[in-house]
Amino acid sequence: MTAVLASVTTAGLVGAGLFIGAGTSAAASLDLNYGCTFPLIDVQPVKIQINASIPDTITAGVPTGEFQIEAISTLNEDTTTGLKLVKVATIEGTAMSTAHITAPGFDTDLDVPVTVEKTAIPASGGFTVKATGKTPSLKFPQAGPIKITVHDIVLNITAKKADGTLASIPPSNPFEAPCVQDPGQNNVLKEGQILPGGGGGTTTPTTPPSTTNPTTTTQPPVTTTTTKPPVTTTPGGGGTVKYGYTLAGKSNLKNMSGDVPLKGTIDANLTLATKKFTADLVLNPATANLSIMGFLPVVSKVEFVNERQTTGSIEADGALKSNSLLTIKLPQVSLFGFPISQSADCKTVTPSDINLQSAADFDVIAGGQLTGTYTIAPLKGCGSFNDYISGFAASAGNTIAVNLTSK
């Protein structure tokens, strides 16, 4: 759902501003790759370009002042698809980035917040997200080399529908998502020098200079970021999303009065790039109370055997289509309360090809209704009354309607 939110990784920028102060500004740019864990769409790659104008030198004892930073994050098409599936139209939020400052007399982590601008999700393809923020003003007590590195971030994202309401993203929206920097990268944003100096300049720090931590004219948090566990549903991985539903509904048989009750589960694995899915369908054994010719009471046990996985797709209009291939078994059939077949081998000679479809804009998070029609083939293995039972059961134009509810 939401890897788009990874764009917030722009927070990494934050470290850049720490290096501002007296001195000649020099453009600094750093590209970093992250893996961000989001609800529904699991880990998605995000590339962040950090841009800042940072001086090569600063002066000891002189406040650096605040510094504006900018980061542009590039999100992939899988992220777009995942967000569109849950009806996300825009994303916005904040992020907390950890930068590390190494300079004479101290070695410190600094958490800095940034704001992710409200960004519209495109109809298809990847997209970019911009984030901006300010670094706190810092004052360094000693001269010597300084190095600033950018590290992991934690996102807090709000995803909204086109009408401005929150999108349905389990387990919560807004949500947190940790972003971990890919290993083996150069994450040094800037290296430079703190020149000998003295005096507080025109800005008076809020606290006296320290030999272990820089003095700030603002009060940024100087703590190590604690990354919380990812708040996600079951991850699909590899550009896939896993959905699970309970199923309840009924099937109306063309040649008989009454319905066959349907209950079960379906667990789907959707490939984001193709919007196609495979699913494990489980339909529970059922008891159907039916009548033949409107007055002959028939009670039948019904079982369903999958011949393969259910398959399907999310169409361009958001409709869900599925196809299942099921052999239907009638292990017990009674007429007027007397068993006329009790064979475990009583089943259709060929599986039923069942196609179901939802209305447009199916909600993959909440679920919804699927409907369709199907054919029941003639029966075999039902004992001496096989032809009689088959004559009424075998039919085309049988209807089915089921409701899927998220587990």
Side-chain angles (χ1 to χ4, degrees):
M1 218 232 345
T2 261
V4 59
L5 310 172
S7 58
V8 121
T9 25
T10 67
L13 266 178
V14 132
L18 301 178
F19 207 40
I20 304 308
T24 303
S25 293
S29 183
L30 177 65
D31 290 339
L32 287 171
N33 296 314
Y34 287 83
C36 298
T37 303
F38 299 100
L40 301 178
I41 53 178
D42 198 29
V43 179
Q44 294 294 326
V46 178
K47 182 177 182 179
I48 302 137
Q49 184 183 63
I50 301 169
N51 299 305
S53 182
I54 304 174
D56 293 323
T57 59
I58 61 176
T59 302
V62 177
T64 63
E66 293 182 338
F67 187 72
Q68 297 283 345
I69 57 178
E70 176 190 81
I72 305 297
S73 297
T74 301
L75 292 306
N76 64 13
E77 186 169 10
D78 280 357
T79 298
T80 300
T81 301
L83 291 171
K84 285 294 185 182
L85 286 175
V86 291
K87 310 298 183 291
V88 174
T90 63
I91 60 102
E92 58 194 285
T94 60
M96 188 67 74
S97 173
T98 301
H100 191 84
I101 307 171
T102 303
F106 66 90
D107 192 277
T108 235
D109 285 335
L110 185 68
D111 289 349
V112 187
V114 294
T115 299
V116 180
E117 294 184 0
K118 185 175 182 178
T119 303
I121 309 305
S124 61
F127 63 103
T128 60
V129 177
K130 181 180 179 180
T132 58
K134 292 181 180 180
T135 63
S137 179
L138 301 176
K139 186 161 66 175
F140 298 93
Q142 298 181 37
I146 183 172
K147 180 168 75 172
I148 301 168
T149 54
V150 178
H151 298 275
D152 296 342
I153 68 168
V154 176
L155 315 177
N156 191 295
I157 297 300
T158 300
K160 294 182 179 179
K161 298 180 182 179
D163 62 4
T165 61
L166 294 178
S168 298
I169 300 176
S172 65
N173 182 17
F175 62 87
E176 282 192 352
C179 294
V180 178
Q181 202 172 103
D182 291 354
Q185 299 182 90
N186 175 18
N187 65 345
V188 177
L189 182 63
K190 191 74 176 181
E191 292 182 287
Q193 288 291 320
I194 302 172
L195 301 180
T202 59
T203 304
T204 302
T206 56
T207 57
S210 167
T211 58
T212 57
N213 290 296
T215 300
T216 64
T217 56
T218 61
Q219 295 295 319
V222 187
T223 57
T224 301
T225 300
T226 299
T227 301
K228 297 183 179 180
V231 184
T232 65
T233 58
T234 305
T240 62
V241 179
K242 290 186 177 181
Y243 299 105
Y245 306 97
T246 57
L247 175 154
K250 62 183 180 180
S251 176
N252 185 266
L253 304 184
K254 187 75 171 179
N255 290 347
M256 299 186 192
S257 298
D259 298 321
V260 178
L262 301 173
K263 287 186 179 295
T265 61
I266 184 166
D267 294 294
N269 193 344
L270 173 72
T271 299
L272 291 169
T274 62
K275 295 185 181 180
K276 296 183 183 296
F277 66 85
T278 57
D280 295 319
L281 172 66
V282 177
L283 289 175
N284 302 335
T287 299
N289 293 286
L290 309 166
S291 64
I292 299 172
M293 296 184 294
F295 67 94
L296 298 176
V298 174
V299 177
S300 178
K301 303 291 185 183
V302 185
E303 296 177 357
F304 308 91
V305 179
N306 284 293
E307 298 301 331
R308 57 163 170 74
Q309 279 191 305
T310 292
T311 59
S313 62
I314 304 293
E315 301 299 300
D317 64 354
L320 184 149
K321 289 184 176 181
S322 73
N323 175 263
S324 302
L325 198 63
L326 301 174
T327 294
I328 299 173
K329 302 179 71 175
L330 306 179
Q332 181 177 316
V333 181
S334 298
L335 179 64
F336 287 111
F338 295 98
I340 58 174
S341 176
Q342 298 188 81
S343 171
D345 296 323
C346 181
K347 61 183 180 181
T348 53
V349 295
T350 58
S352 292
D353 193 16
I354 302 176
N355 291 296
L356 300 179
Q357 182 172 341
S358 74
D361 295 321
F362 180 80
D363 191 332
V364 296
I365 298 297
Q369 186 179 63
L370 304 179
T371 59
T373 60
Y374 67 103
T375 296
I376 298 177
L379 302 178
K380 65 178 181 179
C382 303
S384 56
F385 288 96
N386 185 93
D387 292 345
Y388 176 80
I389 297 170
S390 180
F392 286 102
S395 55
N398 304 291
T399 63
I400 185 171
V402 295
N403 287 300
L404 304 184
T405 303
S406 180
K407 289 182 179 179

